[in-house]
Amino acid sequence: MSITHVRREMKKGLLLLTGGSGMVGRNLIEYNKDNSWDILAPSSSELNLTDADATLEYVQSVAPDVIIHAAGRVGGIQANIAAPVDFLVTNMDLGRNIVLAGYHAGVKRLLNLGSSCMYPRDAINPLSEDMILSGSLEPTNEGYALAKIMTARLCQYINQQDSAYQYKTLVPCNIYGCYDKFDPQHSHLIPSIIHKLHQAIIASCNTVEIWGDGEARREFMYAGDLADAVFYMLDHYEDCPDLINIGMGEDYTINQYYEKVAAIVGYEGNFKHNMDRPVGMRQKLLSVIRQTDIGWRPRVDLYNGVKKTYEYYTVYQS
């Protein structure tokens, strides 16, 4: 038997990854450095997830052992407010088409990546998985949240309808890290802060604006940790619930994030609060009981995660 054949037999299987060019997708590919999985991450030109027939044909042709759905139309508050139709319809189409394609092609395992936006805006924190659909959503990203809820529910319905299928949804807290988007029009909080403070240093600007009073609380996890969680769940698939939060188990105020990022990038100026700007939910802290029970914990703390992200940003900007 040749060495090539031996290596092939040692593989865990063929993994079809959607959204391979996005931040989460690229971190998943990078995490698989030992090539324990054969990862197939088609571009949007190779696999148009908005086309249901083409998606089914593609999944049938490659016959993956597992699908990870990480594709999505993503962005911060500004982007969600500006294009609510696109955030609802595009993400709904992407989720529905890949999940149904997997089901009709006979792929028994699928990991769907949800979002903490799925939780009601007024739910008591920490947010446990059974709180989804228990109240009104945050208006600034409602369309995105509805699409994510629909995809998660579709996975659960397939499991109920046919016990041979195990379609599961991971609900991560806010994610940041290498391969992130730093454009303020499309970025989330931490990459946006990194960009704003870095540019303020370059421009010798002594004041940076913070939306709202800065007291809203957020939970952020380094993208490399999410990749670790995904592959951990694949290795413990039978024990993984069909809906499970992935988070740090702690949060900080927006003011604290500005202070912590400022210390890392070297910004020594002042901050001012713009009370006319939207801030979203006052708190989004996930319950991590299920992830702790299954034996997974994040490894990268906020300081080291932001430091790595800033190092990536400075290269990205050059």
Short mmCIF file of all heavy atoms in Angstrom, two decimals, residues 144-207:
data_model
loop_
_atom_site.label_atom_id
_atom_site.label_comp_id
_atom_site.label_asym_id
_atom_site.label_seq_id
_atom_site.Cartn_x
_atom_site.Cartn_y
_atom_site.Cartn_z
N TYR A 144 -31.47 39.55 10.11
CA TYR A 144 -30.38 38.57 10.22
C TYR A 144 -30.73 37.49 11.24
O TYR A 144 -30.54 36.29 11.00
CB TYR A 144 -29.10 39.29 10.62
CG TYR A 144 -27.90 38.42 10.82
CD1 TYR A 144 -27.21 37.90 9.74
CD2 TYR A 144 -27.43 38.12 12.10
CE1 TYR A 144 -26.08 37.10 9.91
CE2 TYR A 144 -26.30 37.33 12.29
CZ TYR A 144 -25.64 36.82 11.19
OH TYR A 144 -24.53 36.03 11.37
N ALA A 145 -31.27 37.93 12.38
CA ALA A 145 -31.62 36.99 13.45
C ALA A 145 -32.71 36.01 13.01
O ALA A 145 -32.64 34.81 13.29
CB ALA A 145 -32.07 37.76 14.69
N LEU A 146 -33.73 36.52 12.33
CA LEU A 146 -34.81 35.66 11.86
C LEU A 146 -34.29 34.59 10.91
O LEU A 146 -34.72 33.42 10.97
CB LEU A 146 -35.88 36.50 11.17
CG LEU A 146 -36.78 37.35 12.07
CD1 LEU A 146 -37.61 38.32 11.24
CD2 LEU A 146 -37.68 36.47 12.93
N ALA A 147 -33.39 34.97 10.02
CA ALA A 147 -32.82 34.00 9.08
C ALA A 147 -32.03 32.92 9.81
O ALA A 147 -32.11 31.73 9.47
CB ALA A 147 -31.92 34.72 8.07
N LYS A 148 -31.29 33.32 10.82
CA LYS A 148 -30.50 32.35 11.59
C LYS A 148 -31.41 31.42 12.40
O LYS A 148 -31.13 30.22 12.52
CB LYS A 148 -29.54 33.10 12.52
CG LYS A 148 -28.38 33.77 11.80
CD LYS A 148 -27.48 32.73 11.17
CE LYS A 148 -26.25 33.30 10.55
NZ LYS A 148 -25.35 32.27 9.95
N ILE A 149 -32.48 31.96 12.95
CA ILE A 149 -33.43 31.12 13.70
C ILE A 149 -34.09 30.12 12.77
O ILE A 149 -34.26 28.94 13.12
CB ILE A 149 -34.49 32.01 14.39
CG1 ILE A 149 -33.85 32.82 15.52
CG2 ILE A 149 -35.64 31.16 14.93
CD1 ILE A 149 -34.76 33.88 16.11
N MET A 150 -34.49 30.57 11.59
CA MET A 150 -35.13 29.68 10.62
C MET A 150 -34.22 28.50 10.28
O MET A 150 -34.67 27.34 10.25
CB MET A 150 -35.49 30.46 9.36
CG MET A 150 -36.26 29.66 8.31
SD MET A 150 -35.24 28.56 7.27
CE MET A 150 -34.21 29.77 6.41
N THR A 151 -32.94 28.77 10.03
CA THR A 151 -32.01 27.70 9.66
C THR A 151 -31.82 26.73 10.82
O THR A 151 -31.80 25.50 10.61
CB THR A 151 -30.66 28.30 9.24
OG1 THR A 151 -30.86 29.26 8.19
CG2 THR A 151 -29.72 27.21 8.74
N ALA A 152 -31.71 27.25 12.03
CA ALA A 152 -31.55 26.37 13.20
C ALA A 152 -32.77 25.49 13.39
O ALA A 152 -32.66 24.29 13.69
CB ALA A 152 -31.29 27.21 14.45
N ARG A 153 -33.96 26.08 13.23
CA ARG A 153 -35.19 25.32 13.37
C ARG A 153 -35.31 24.25 12.27
O ARG A 153 -35.76 23.13 12.52
CB ARG A 153 -36.40 26.25 13.32
CG ARG A 153 -36.76 26.84 14.66
CD ARG A 153 -37.34 25.76 15.57
NE ARG A 153 -37.95 26.31 16.76
CZ ARG A 153 -37.43 26.27 17.97
NH1 ARG A 153 -36.23 25.73 18.16
NH2 ARG A 153 -38.06 26.78 19.01
N LEU A 154 -34.92 24.59 11.07
CA LEU A 154 -34.96 23.62 9.97
C LEU A 154 -34.09 22.42 10.30
O LEU A 154 -34.48 21.27 10.07
CB LEU A 154 -34.49 24.29 8.67
CG LEU A 154 -34.44 23.40 7.42
CD1 LEU A 154 -35.80 22.78 7.11
CD2 LEU A 154 -33.94 24.20 6.22
N CYS A 155 -32.93 22.66 10.87
CA CYS A 155 -32.06 21.55 11.29
C CYS A 155 -32.76 20.67 12.32
O CYS A 155 -32.71 19.44 12.22
CB CYS A 155 -30.76 22.10 11.86
SG CYS A 155 -29.64 22.85 10.65
N GLN A 156 -33.41 21.29 13.28
CA GLN A 156 -34.10 20.53 14.32
C GLN A 156 -35.28 19.74 13.75
O GLN A 156 -35.52 18.59 14.15
CB GLN A 156 -34.58 21.47 15.43
CG GLN A 156 -33.44 22.06 16.25
CD GLN A 156 -33.94 23.04 17.31
OE1 GLN A 156 -34.81 23.86 17.06
NE2 GLN A 156 -33.38 22.95 18.51
N TYR A 157 -36.00 20.34 12.82
CA TYR A 157 -37.13 19.64 12.20
C TYR A 157 -36.67 18.41 11.42
O TYR A 157 -37.33 17.37 11.43
CB TYR A 157 -37.90 20.58 11.27
CG TYR A 157 -38.67 21.67 11.98
CD1 TYR A 157 -39.05 22.82 11.28
CD2 TYR A 157 -39.01 21.58 13.32
CE1 TYR A 157 -39.74 23.84 11.91
CE2 TYR A 157 -39.71 22.58 13.96
CZ TYR A 157 -40.07 23.71 13.25
OH TYR A 157 -40.77 24.72 13.88
N ILE A 158 -35.54 18.53 10.74
CA ILE A 158 -35.02 17.38 10.00
C ILE A 158 -34.66 16.25 10.97
O ILE A 158 -34.95 15.08 10.71
CB ILE A 158 -33.80 17.81 9.15
CG1 ILE A 158 -34.26 18.64 7.95
CG2 ILE A 158 -33.00 16.58 8.68
CD1 ILE A 158 -33.15 19.24 7.14
N ASN A 159 -34.04 16.61 12.09
CA ASN A 159 -33.72 15.60 13.11
C ASN A 159 -34.99 14.90 13.62
O ASN A 159 -35.01 13.68 13.82
CB ASN A 159 -33.01 16.25 14.30
CG ASN A 159 -31.67 16.84 13.92
OD1 ASN A 159 -31.09 16.49 12.90
ND2 ASN A 159 -31.18 17.75 14.74
N GLN A 160 -36.04 15.69 13.84
CA GLN A 160 -37.30 15.13 14.33
C GLN A 160 -37.95 14.22 13.30
O GLN A 160 -38.53 13.18 13.63
CB GLN A 160 -38.27 16.26 14.68
CG GLN A 160 -37.83 17.12 15.87
CD GLN A 160 -38.71 18.34 16.05
OE1 GLN A 160 -39.80 18.43 15.48
NE2 GLN A 160 -38.24 19.30 16.84
N GLN A 161 -37.85 14.62 12.04
CA GLN A 161 -38.51 13.89 10.97
C GLN A 161 -37.80 12.59 10.61
O GLN A 161 -38.44 11.60 10.23
CB GLN A 161 -38.61 14.80 9.74
CG GLN A 161 -39.45 14.23 8.60
CD GLN A 161 -39.76 15.29 7.57
OE1 GLN A 161 -40.38 16.31 7.87
NE2 GLN A 161 -39.32 15.07 6.34
N ASP A 162 -36.46 12.58 10.76
CA ASP A 162 -35.67 11.40 10.40
C ASP A 162 -34.51 11.28 11.38
O ASP A 162 -33.55 12.06 11.31
CB ASP A 162 -35.17 11.51 8.97
CG ASP A 162 -34.58 10.21 8.45
OD1 ASP A 162 -34.11 9.40 9.27
OD2 ASP A 162 -34.58 10.01 7.22
N SER A 163 -34.57 10.33 12.29
CA SER A 163 -33.56 10.19 13.33
C SER A 163 -32.20 9.77 12.80
O SER A 163 -31.21 9.79 13.54
CB SER A 163 -34.03 9.16 14.38
OG SER A 163 -34.23 7.89 13.77
N ALA A 164 -32.11 9.41 11.53
CA ALA A 164 -30.82 9.06 10.94
C ALA A 164 -29.95 10.29 10.75
O ALA A 164 -28.73 10.17 10.57
CB ALA A 164 -31.01 8.35 9.61
N TYR A 165 -30.58 11.47 10.78
CA TYR A 165 -29.85 12.72 10.56
C TYR A 165 -29.55 13.40 11.88
O TYR A 165 -30.38 13.42 12.79
CB TYR A 165 -30.66 13.66 9.65
CG TYR A 165 -30.72 13.16 8.23
CD1 TYR A 165 -31.63 12.15 7.86
CD2 TYR A 165 -29.87 13.66 7.25
CE1 TYR A 165 -31.68 11.67 6.57
CE2 TYR A 165 -29.91 13.18 5.95
CZ TYR A 165 -30.81 12.19 5.62
OH TYR A 165 -30.87 11.71 4.33
N GLN A 166 -28.36 13.98 11.96
CA GLN A 166 -27.93 14.73 13.14
C GLN A 166 -27.43 16.11 12.69
O GLN A 166 -26.25 16.29 12.44
CB GLN A 166 -26.82 13.99 13.89
CG GLN A 166 -27.24 12.63 14.44
CD GLN A 166 -26.12 11.99 15.24
OE1 GLN A 166 -25.75 12.48 16.30
NE2 GLN A 166 -25.57 10.91 14.72
N TYR A 167 -28.37 17.02 12.56
CA TYR A 167 -28.05 18.38 12.14
C TYR A 167 -28.05 19.27 13.38
O TYR A 167 -29.06 19.37 14.08
CB TYR A 167 -29.07 18.88 11.11
CG TYR A 167 -28.87 18.31 9.72
CD1 TYR A 167 -28.03 17.21 9.50
CD2 TYR A 167 -29.50 18.86 8.63
CE1 TYR A 167 -27.84 16.68 8.24
CE2 TYR A 167 -29.32 18.36 7.35
CZ TYR A 167 -28.49 17.25 7.16
OH TYR A 167 -28.29 16.74 5.89
N LYS A 168 -26.93 19.93 13.63
CA LYS A 168 -26.75 20.65 14.89
C LYS A 168 -26.34 22.09 14.64
O LYS A 168 -25.70 22.40 13.64
CB LYS A 168 -25.72 19.92 15.75
CG LYS A 168 -26.09 18.45 15.95
CD LYS A 168 -25.21 17.71 16.91
CE LYS A 168 -25.69 16.26 17.06
NZ LYS A 168 -24.99 15.52 18.12
N THR A 169 -26.71 22.96 15.58
CA THR A 169 -26.42 24.38 15.45
C THR A 169 -25.57 24.85 16.63
O THR A 169 -25.95 24.66 17.79
CB THR A 169 -27.70 25.22 15.39
OG1 THR A 169 -28.45 24.87 14.22
CG2 THR A 169 -27.39 26.71 15.36
N LEU A 170 -24.43 25.45 16.30
CA LEU A 170 -23.60 26.11 17.30
C LEU A 170 -23.97 27.59 17.30
O LEU A 170 -24.06 28.21 16.23
CB LEU A 170 -22.11 25.95 16.99
CG LEU A 170 -21.57 24.54 16.73
CD1 LEU A 170 -20.05 24.60 16.63
CD2 LEU A 170 -22.00 23.57 17.80
N VAL A 171 -24.19 28.16 18.48
CA VAL A 171 -24.55 29.58 18.60
C VAL A 171 -23.39 30.31 19.26
O VAL A 171 -23.30 30.36 20.50
CB VAL A 171 -25.84 29.78 19.41
CG1 VAL A 171 -26.23 31.25 19.44
CG2 VAL A 171 -26.97 28.93 18.84
N PRO A 172 -22.46 30.87 18.46
CA PRO A 172 -21.31 31.54 19.07
C PRO A 172 -21.66 32.96 19.52
O PRO A 172 -22.59 33.59 19.00
CB PRO A 172 -20.30 31.58 17.92
CG PRO A 172 -21.13 31.57 16.68
CD PRO A 172 -22.36 30.78 17.00
N CYS A 173 -20.91 33.44 20.50
CA CYS A 173 -21.00 34.85 20.86
C CYS A 173 -20.34 35.66 19.74
O CYS A 173 -19.97 35.11 18.70
CB CYS A 173 -20.30 35.10 22.20
SG CYS A 173 -18.52 34.81 22.19
N ASN A 174 -20.20 36.95 19.92
CA ASN A 174 -19.53 37.77 18.91
C ASN A 174 -18.10 37.29 18.69
O ASN A 174 -17.40 36.96 19.65
CB ASN A 174 -19.51 39.23 19.34
CG ASN A 174 -20.90 39.82 19.45
OD1 ASN A 174 -21.65 39.87 18.48
ND2 ASN A 174 -21.27 40.26 20.65
N ILE A 175 -17.69 37.25 17.44
CA ILE A 175 -16.38 36.72 17.07
C ILE A 175 -15.52 37.84 16.46
O ILE A 175 -16.01 38.70 15.75
CB ILE A 175 -16.53 35.58 16.05
CG1 ILE A 175 -17.44 34.47 16.61
CG2 ILE A 175 -15.17 34.99 15.68
CD1 ILE A 175 -16.95 33.82 17.87
N TYR A 176 -14.22 37.78 16.77
CA TYR A 176 -13.26 38.70 16.15
C TYR A 176 -11.97 37.93 15.93
O TYR A 176 -11.80 36.83 16.46
CB TYR A 176 -13.00 39.90 17.08
CG TYR A 176 -12.18 39.54 18.30
CD1 TYR A 176 -10.80 39.75 18.33
CD2 TYR A 176 -12.76 38.93 19.41
CE1 TYR A 176 -10.04 39.38 19.44
CE2 TYR A 176 -12.02 38.56 20.51
CZ TYR A 176 -10.66 38.78 20.52
OH TYR A 176 -9.92 38.40 21.60
N GLY A 177 -11.06 38.51 15.13
CA GLY A 177 -9.78 37.85 14.95
C GLY A 177 -9.18 38.08 13.59
O GLY A 177 -9.57 38.99 12.86
N CYS A 178 -8.20 37.27 13.26
CA CYS A 178 -7.55 37.37 11.96
C CYS A 178 -8.57 37.12 10.85
O CYS A 178 -9.51 36.35 11.03
CB CYS A 178 -6.42 36.35 11.86
SG CYS A 178 -5.13 36.59 13.10
N TYR A 179 -8.38 37.79 9.72
CA TYR A 179 -9.27 37.74 8.55
C TYR A 179 -10.59 38.47 8.79
O TYR A 179 -11.55 38.31 8.04
CB TYR A 179 -9.55 36.30 8.11
CG TYR A 179 -8.31 35.45 7.99
CD1 TYR A 179 -8.10 34.35 8.84
CD2 TYR A 179 -7.33 35.73 7.04
CE1 TYR A 179 -6.96 33.58 8.75
CE2 TYR A 179 -6.17 34.96 6.94
CZ TYR A 179 -6.00 33.88 7.80
OH TYR A 179 -4.87 33.11 7.71
N ASP A 180 -10.63 39.30 9.85
CA ASP A 180 -11.84 40.06 10.15
C ASP A 180 -12.00 41.20 9.16
O ASP A 180 -11.08 41.54 8.41
CB ASP A 180 -11.75 40.62 11.58
CG ASP A 180 -13.10 40.68 12.28
OD1 ASP A 180 -14.11 40.80 11.57
OD2 ASP A 180 -13.13 40.61 13.52
N LYS A 181 -13.17 41.83 9.18
CA LYS A 181 -13.44 43.03 8.40
C LYS A 181 -13.21 44.24 9.29
O LYS A 181 -13.75 44.31 10.39
CB LYS A 181 -14.88 43.04 7.88
CG LYS A 181 -15.19 41.96 6.87
CD LYS A 181 -16.64 42.07 6.41
CE LYS A 181 -16.98 41.00 5.38
NZ LYS A 181 -18.40 41.07 4.95
N PHE A 182 -12.42 45.21 8.81
CA PHE A 182 -12.10 46.37 9.62
C PHE A 182 -12.74 47.66 9.09
O PHE A 182 -12.62 48.70 9.73
CB PHE A 182 -10.58 46.54 9.70
CG PHE A 182 -9.90 45.40 10.40
CD1 PHE A 182 -9.46 44.29 9.68
CD2 PHE A 182 -9.71 45.41 11.77
CE1 PHE A 182 -8.84 43.23 10.31
CE2 PHE A 182 -9.10 44.34 12.41
CZ PHE A 182 -8.66 43.25 11.69
N ASP A 183 -13.39 47.58 7.95
CA ASP A 183 -14.11 48.73 7.42
C ASP A 183 -15.26 49.08 8.37
O ASP A 183 -16.12 48.25 8.63
CB ASP A 183 -14.67 48.38 6.03
CG ASP A 183 -15.47 49.51 5.40
OD1 ASP A 183 -15.70 50.53 6.07
OD2 ASP A 183 -15.86 49.36 4.24
N PRO A 184 -15.30 50.32 8.90
CA PRO A 184 -16.33 50.69 9.86
C PRO A 184 -17.76 50.49 9.36
O PRO A 184 -18.67 50.29 10.17
CB PRO A 184 -16.06 52.18 10.12
CG PRO A 184 -14.62 52.36 9.81
CD PRO A 184 -14.33 51.41 8.67
N GLN A 185 -17.96 50.52 8.04
CA GLN A 185 -19.31 50.33 7.50
C GLN A 185 -19.77 48.88 7.60
O GLN A 185 -20.97 48.60 7.53
CB GLN A 185 -19.35 50.78 6.04
CG GLN A 185 -19.06 52.26 5.83
CD GLN A 185 -20.10 53.15 6.49
OE1 GLN A 185 -21.30 52.86 6.46
NE2 GLN A 185 -19.65 54.23 7.12
N HIS A 186 -18.85 47.94 7.77
CA HIS A 186 -19.21 46.53 7.75
C HIS A 186 -18.68 45.74 8.95
O HIS A 186 -19.01 44.56 9.10
CB HIS A 186 -18.68 45.86 6.46
CG HIS A 186 -19.21 46.48 5.20
ND1 HIS A 186 -18.52 47.46 4.52
CD2 HIS A 186 -20.37 46.29 4.53
CE1 HIS A 186 -19.23 47.83 3.46
NE2 HIS A 186 -20.34 47.14 3.44
N SER A 187 -17.87 46.37 9.79
CA SER A 187 -17.21 45.62 10.85
C SER A 187 -18.03 45.57 12.13
O SER A 187 -18.93 46.38 12.35
CB SER A 187 -15.84 46.26 11.16
OG SER A 187 -16.00 47.59 11.61
N HIS A 188 -17.69 44.60 12.98
CA HIS A 188 -18.25 44.51 14.31
C HIS A 188 -17.40 45.34 15.28
O HIS A 188 -16.46 46.01 14.89
CB HIS A 188 -18.34 43.06 14.75
CG HIS A 188 -19.36 42.27 14.00
ND1 HIS A 188 -19.03 41.48 12.93
CD2 HIS A 188 -20.70 42.18 14.15
CE1 HIS A 188 -20.14 40.91 12.44
NE2 HIS A 188 -21.16 41.31 13.16
N LEU A 189 -17.73 45.28 16.56
CA LEU A 189 -17.18 46.21 17.53
C LEU A 189 -15.65 46.19 17.63
O LEU A 189 -15.01 47.24 17.45
CB LEU A 189 -17.78 45.93 18.92
CG LEU A 189 -17.30 46.86 20.05
CD1 LEU A 189 -17.77 48.28 19.80
CD2 LEU A 189 -17.79 46.35 21.39
N ILE A 190 -15.04 45.05 17.93
CA ILE A 190 -13.60 45.04 18.18
C ILE A 190 -12.78 45.43 16.95
O ILE A 190 -11.90 46.30 17.05
CB ILE A 190 -13.15 43.68 18.75
CG1 ILE A 190 -13.64 43.55 20.20
CG2 ILE A 190 -11.63 43.53 18.70
CD1 ILE A 190 -13.21 42.29 20.91
N PRO A 191 -13.03 44.88 15.77
CA PRO A 191 -12.26 45.34 14.60
C PRO A 191 -12.51 46.81 14.30
O PRO A 191 -11.60 47.52 13.84
CB PRO A 191 -12.74 44.44 13.47
CG PRO A 191 -14.01 43.85 13.93
CD PRO A 191 -13.90 43.74 15.42
N SER A 192 -13.72 47.28 14.56
CA SER A 192 -14.02 48.69 14.36
C SER A 192 -13.20 49.57 15.31
O SER A 192 -12.66 50.60 14.91
CB SER A 192 -15.52 48.94 14.57
OG SER A 192 -15.81 50.32 14.49
N ILE A 193 -13.10 49.15 16.57
CA ILE A 193 -12.31 49.91 17.54
C ILE A 193 -10.84 49.92 17.14
O ILE A 193 -10.16 50.96 17.19
CB ILE A 193 -12.47 49.31 18.96
CG1 ILE A 193 -13.91 49.45 19.44
CG2 ILE A 193 -11.53 50.01 19.93
CD1 ILE A 193 -14.17 48.75 20.77
N ILE A 194 -10.32 48.76 16.74
CA ILE A 194 -8.93 48.67 16.30
C ILE A 194 -8.67 49.66 15.17
O ILE A 194 -7.68 50.42 15.19
CB ILE A 194 -8.59 47.24 15.86
CG1 ILE A 194 -8.51 46.32 17.09
CG2 ILE A 194 -7.27 47.19 15.08
CD1 ILE A 194 -8.33 44.85 16.75
N HIS A 195 -9.55 49.66 14.19
CA HIS A 195 -9.38 50.55 13.04
C HIS A 195 -9.45 52.01 13.46
O HIS A 195 -8.60 52.83 13.08
CB HIS A 195 -10.46 50.24 11.99
CG HIS A 195 -10.42 51.16 10.81
ND1 HIS A 195 -9.50 51.01 9.79
CD2 HIS A 195 -11.19 52.23 10.48
CE1 HIS A 195 -9.70 51.96 8.89
NE2 HIS A 195 -10.71 52.71 9.28
N LYS A 196 -10.45 52.36 14.25
CA LYS A 196 -10.65 53.76 14.66
C LYS A 196 -9.46 54.28 15.47
O LYS A 196 -8.98 55.41 15.24
CB LYS A 196 -11.94 53.89 15.48
CG LYS A 196 -13.21 53.79 14.66
CD LYS A 196 -14.44 53.61 15.53
CE LYS A 196 -14.73 54.84 16.36
NZ LYS A 196 -16.02 54.68 17.10
N LEU A 197 -8.98 53.49 16.40
CA LEU A 197 -7.89 53.94 17.24
C LEU A 197 -6.57 54.00 16.48
O LEU A 197 -5.77 54.92 16.68
CB LEU A 197 -7.75 53.05 18.48
CG LEU A 197 -8.96 53.01 19.41
CD1 LEU A 197 -8.62 52.26 20.70
CD2 LEU A 197 -9.47 54.40 19.74
N HIS A 198 -6.35 53.04 15.60
CA HIS A 198 -5.14 53.05 14.78
C HIS A 198 -5.12 54.28 13.88
O HIS A 198 -4.08 54.97 13.76
CB HIS A 198 -5.07 51.77 13.95
CG HIS A 198 -3.84 51.67 13.10
ND1 HIS A 198 -2.62 51.24 13.59
CD2 HIS A 198 -3.62 51.96 11.78
CE1 HIS A 198 -1.72 51.25 12.63
NE2 HIS A 198 -2.30 51.68 11.51
N GLN A 199 -6.26 54.56 13.25
CA GLN A 199 -6.33 55.73 12.37
C GLN A 199 -6.22 57.03 13.17
O GLN A 199 -5.65 58.02 12.69
CB GLN A 199 -7.65 55.71 11.59
CG GLN A 199 -7.78 54.56 10.60
CD GLN A 199 -6.65 54.53 9.57
OE1 GLN A 199 -6.30 55.56 9.01
NE2 GLN A 199 -6.09 53.35 9.35
N ALA A 200 -6.74 57.05 14.39
CA ALA A 200 -6.63 58.24 15.24
C ALA A 200 -5.17 58.52 15.59
O ALA A 200 -4.74 59.69 15.63
CB ALA A 200 -7.44 58.05 16.51
N ILE A 201 -4.40 57.45 15.83
CA ILE A 201 -2.97 57.62 16.12
C ILE A 201 -2.26 58.21 14.91
O ILE A 201 -1.47 59.16 15.03
CB ILE A 201 -2.34 56.28 16.53
CG1 ILE A 201 -2.90 55.81 17.87
CG2 ILE A 201 -0.82 56.40 16.60
CD1 ILE A 201 -2.49 54.40 18.24
N ILE A 202 -2.55 57.66 13.73
CA ILE A 202 -1.91 58.14 12.50
C ILE A 202 -2.24 59.61 12.26
O ILE A 202 -1.38 60.42 11.87
CB ILE A 202 -2.34 57.29 11.30
CG1 ILE A 202 -1.78 55.86 11.43
CG2 ILE A 202 -1.89 57.92 9.98
CD1 ILE A 202 -2.26 54.92 10.36
N ALA A 203 -3.50 59.99 12.50
CA ALA A 203 -3.95 61.35 12.23
C ALA A 203 -3.71 62.31 13.40
O ALA A 203 -4.09 63.48 13.33
CB ALA A 203 -5.44 61.34 11.88
N SER A 204 -3.07 61.81 14.46
CA SER A 204 -2.84 62.60 15.67
C SER A 204 -4.14 63.19 16.21
O SER A 204 -4.19 64.34 16.67
CB SER A 204 -1.83 63.73 15.39
OG SER A 204 -0.58 63.19 15.00
N CYS A 205 -5.21 62.39 16.14
CA CYS A 205 -6.51 62.81 16.63
C CYS A 205 -6.62 62.48 18.12
O CYS A 205 -6.41 61.33 18.51
CB CYS A 205 -7.62 62.12 15.84
SG CYS A 205 -9.28 62.56 16.37
N ASN A 206 -6.97 63.47 18.92
CA ASN A 206 -6.97 63.28 20.37
C ASN A 206 -8.31 62.80 20.92
O ASN A 206 -8.42 62.54 22.12
CB ASN A 206 -6.58 64.58 21.06
CG ASN A 206 -6.22 64.36 22.52
OD1 ASN A 206 -5.52 63.41 22.86
ND2 ASN A 206 -6.72 65.23 23.40
N THR A 207 -9.34 62.68 20.05
CA THR A 207 -10.66 62.27 20.53
C THR A 207 -11.29 61.25 19.58
O THR A 207 -11.27 61.45 18.36
CB THR A 207 -11.61 63.48 20.66
OG1 THR A 207 -11.01 64.46 21.50
CG2 THR A 207 -12.95 63.05 21.26
#
